[in-house]
Amino acid sequence: MAFKTLGAKAAAALDKELMSSGAFSLDQLMELAGLSVSQVVYRVHPITKGPKILVAVGPGNNGGDGLVAARHLRHYGYQPTIYYPKRPKNELYQRLTKQLEDLNIPFVDDFPDALKSADHVLDAIFGFSFSGEVREPFPAVINAMAETKIPVTSVDAPSSWNIEDGPPSEGVGSNFHPDVLISLTAPKPLVKHFKGLHFIGGRFVAPSIAKKYDFDVPEYEGLDQIVEVEAAGQKL
């Protein structure tokens, strides 16, 4: 089956619905999203390939998903390192950060330098709400991810990509093509431009809500929070 995509406005409305009539808290949604992200990393990059995961964290909810994923990865036995240059004052993000500090997970200020010793990169900078230009200090980070030979997994959207139209035609991110993408809840229209390994994660949506927003809930197996689909939207 081909999976229907969810545009930026619909994705934002869905989030509001999940937190109102759906009765989820933002903490819950972020925890479930981050858990699914951690399972993708575990699937595509077993710890035997190298334990060092560099997590690039943005200032919004996409970054929060990355912080949660890093905590789970640490408990799986990986050695995550966090690049988190723009930290919001919001209490939720402060708690997620404290949880990582309590696990002695290092935070670094120099992304290109940290990249030299990484085995895998998790791109949790910008999600479906991103639009406009990439502001400092992220242009150099996205360029570094575009140029590295180290595999990159992006959360919900490759950072800098337009949710509808995919990679920018020029400038920052125009040559950024991550190896792996995990679409949260449902794929976004940009997936038609994505050629790597594609997963859907977010095993919590009620059928009634999926029907209202006209997207498909994939068939998750066993304990899995993720399902692999072809980049073109076909299930493998």
Side-chain angles (χ1 to χ4, degrees), residues 21-100:
S21 65
F24 284 93
S25 67
L26 178 58
D27 298 50
Q28 271 184 299
L29 294 176
M30 207 169 276
E31 187 65 31
L32 289 162
L35 176 63
S36 63
V37 170
S38 72
Q39 287 198 353
V40 167
V41 175
Y42 184 82
R43 177 85 58 91
V44 302
H45 186 90
I47 203 162
T48 51
K49 286 188 175 182
K52 295 179 179 176
I53 312 293
L54 176 58
V55 187
V57 179
N61 290 351
N62 197 259
D65 297 340
L67 295 174
V68 171
R71 169 163 36 82
H72 287 293
L73 289 167
R74 176 70 181 81
H75 287 301
Y76 301 164
Y78 291 87
Q79 296 167 18
T81 295
I82 314 295
Y83 174 75
Y84 194 15
K86 289 197 174 291
R87 303 190 190 189
K89 298 280 194 284
N90 184 303
E91 187 219 353
L92 170 56
Y93 300 107
Q94 291 180 344
R95 285 192 282 110
L96 293 175
T97 302
K98 172 74 162 58
Q99 291 161 11
L100 299 182

Side-chain angles (χ1 to χ4, degrees), residues 5 9 17 50 62 87 92 94 146 150 180 191 204 236:
T5 60
K9 285 183 179 175
E17 176 108 13
N62 197 259
R87 303 190 190 189
L92 170 56
Q94 291 180 344
I150 297 163
V180 184
V191 294
F204 54 80
L236 294 176

